[in-house]
Amino acid sequence: MKPSIVEILQPRLAALDLDHRLKLAREVIPGRMVFTTSFGIEDQLVTHSIFTQGLEIDVVTIDTGRLFEETVELWERTEARYARHIRPVYPQPEPLADFVAEHGINAFYRSVEHRKACCEIRKVEPLGRLLAGASAWVTGLRADQSQAREGVRLAELDAARKLVKLNPLADYTREIIVEKIEEFSVPVNALHAKGFLSIGCAPCTRALEPGESERAGRWWWEEDQKKECGLHVGPDGRLTRGSAPEGER
Ligand code: SF4
C-alpha cells in the first residue's frame, strides 16, 4: 500500500525546524494551504515564518465578534510589521442574530450547551467555510499545552474535513517559542504580559492565577473535560480531546 502524505511527512518534519517544516509541507502538498491564526504567541511565530519566507499559505483569522481590543490591535500591528493583510472570516449574520435574540448576548455562561452553540456559530461554521476545498490546514497547536492536546502530531489526517492538518509547533515548548519570538522581534498580544497565556474571545478568557495550567483561563467556569470548542477533529473524525476524545481552540 502506498504510504499516505501524512506518513511521508511526519518523520521528515520531525528532523526540521519551523521554517523548514512549513517550506517542506508547501513543496509536498499540492493545492490550497490555510493557516488559521488567533494571534496567540504560537500563531504569531507561524505567521512570522510564513510571511518572511513568502510561502504560498493563506493566513486567515476567525473574527468571532467577541475578540479582545488588544487582539484587534495586534492584528493591525502584525499587518504593519509584515506589510501583508490577514483575511478574516465572520460568522453568518442571520444564525448569529437568531441565537443572540433567543438566548441573550452572553448565553455561553448559562450552560455547556449554550457555550458550544455559540462556538459553533462564531467559530466552527466559519472555519468550515474557510477550509472548504483546502488540501491542508496549518495550526499553532502544541502537544504540551494541555492534556487535551497531548496527542497532537506534526502531521495528521483530519478525516472529517478531508485534509492534512499540520501542527508545525507540536513538539515545541512555550519557552522555545518565547525565545524565538524575542530573537525575531515578533509582535505579541499585550495581554500575555498581564497573565493571559491562551487568548480566545474576551468574555471567555481570563488571566491565569499562579500555578494554573496554560489553558485554565479559557471557559474557566466549566469543568476541564468540557473545555473544547470543536475546531479540532481527530483522525477518527471525532473532536480532539486527548485521552477523552470528544469535543476545542
Ligand atoms: S469562546 Fe465564548 S464568545 Fe467565543 S465563540 Fe466560544 S462561547 Fe462564543
Side-chain angles (χ1 to χ4, degrees):
M1 205 200 315
K2 250 174 80 177
S4 70
I5 209 160
V6 167
E7 289 165 338
I8 293 168
L9 272 176
Q10 178 69 27
R12 292 182 65 189
L13 292 175
L16 302 173
D17 64 13
L18 173 62
D19 285 353
H20 290 94
R21 284 174 178 177
L22 289 169
K23 191 163 176 282
L24 174 69
R26 185 58 287 189
E27 286 166 4
V28 168
I29 302 172
R32 187 165 70 98
M33 284 177 67
V34 178
F35 168 55
T36 48
T37 176
S38 56
F39 300 99
I41 196 165
E42 293 85 3
D43 289 346
Q44 286 300 96
L45 190 60
V46 176
T47 296
H48 174 84
S49 179
I50 291 171
F51 283 163
T52 55
Q53 295 193 92
L55 297 176
E56 205 182 307
I57 299 175
D58 295 345
V59 179
V60 299
T61 192
I62 301 171
D63 185 344
T64 63
R66 302 302 301 265
L67 300 180
F68 281 98
E69 191 49 44
E70 287 88 343
T71 302
V72 176
E73 185 264 339
L74 175 60
W75 182 347
E76 186 182 27
R77 273 194 290 139
T78 305
E79 292 188 326
R81 162 72 194 273
Y82 300 102
R84 296 278 299 268
H85 291 305
I86 293 169
R87 185 178 185 83
V89 61
Y90 298 101
Q92 299 273 20
E94 282 309 313
L96 178 57
D98 289 346
F99 179 77
V100 173
E102 187 174 347
H103 300 286
I105 186 63
N106 287 337
F108 32 80
Y109 294 131
R110 292 192 356 225
S111 71
V112 173
E113 287 65 38
H114 284 87
R115 198 270 295 160
K116 284 186 174 172
C118 183
C119 284
E120 174 66 32
I121 292 169
R122 293 184 188 268
K123 293 181 173 180
V124 180
E125 190 281 333
L127 178 73
R129 264 185 287 131
L130 75 86
L131 290 179
S135 50
W137 173 25
V138 182
T139 84
L141 298 185
R142 288 179 14 241
D144 73 351
Q145 265 171 318
S146 67
Q147 198 187 357
R149 295 183 176 183
E150 277 172 358
V152 169
R153 302 178 76 226
L154 292 169
E156 306 172 345
L157 177 68
D158 186 327
R161 298 189 174 95
K162 297 184 174 53
L163 45 71
V164 176
K165 188 173 173 188
L166 296 163
N167 309 302
L169 298 177
D171 54 352
Y172 276 45
T173 62
R174 188 173 184 93
E175 289 68 34
I176 292 175
I177 287 166
V178 170
E179 248 174 53
K180 300 281 177 203
I181 288 281
E182 288 173 359
E183 181 184 344
F184 304 131
S185 302
V186 177
V188 295
N189 199 313
L191 289 170
H192 290 313
K194 297 178 185 171
F196 292 76
L197 291 196
S198 172
I199 302 170
C201 292
C204 299
T205 311
R206 65 156 169 75
L208 295 181
E209 303 290 340
E212 281 188 321
S213 66
E214 232 175 273
R215 290 183 60 81
R218 303 292 295 278
W219 306 295
W220 67 93
W221 63 92
E222 293 182 2
E223 295 167 41
D224 276 356
Q225 68 271 21
K226 291 179 180 152
K227 290 183 173 187
E228 298 295 334
C229 72
L231 296 189
H232 299 288
V233 184
D236 57 357
R238 301 179 73 195
L239 296 169
T240 303
R241 310 202 55 197
S243 52
E246 203 189 294
E248 174 192 1
R249 191 158 174 124

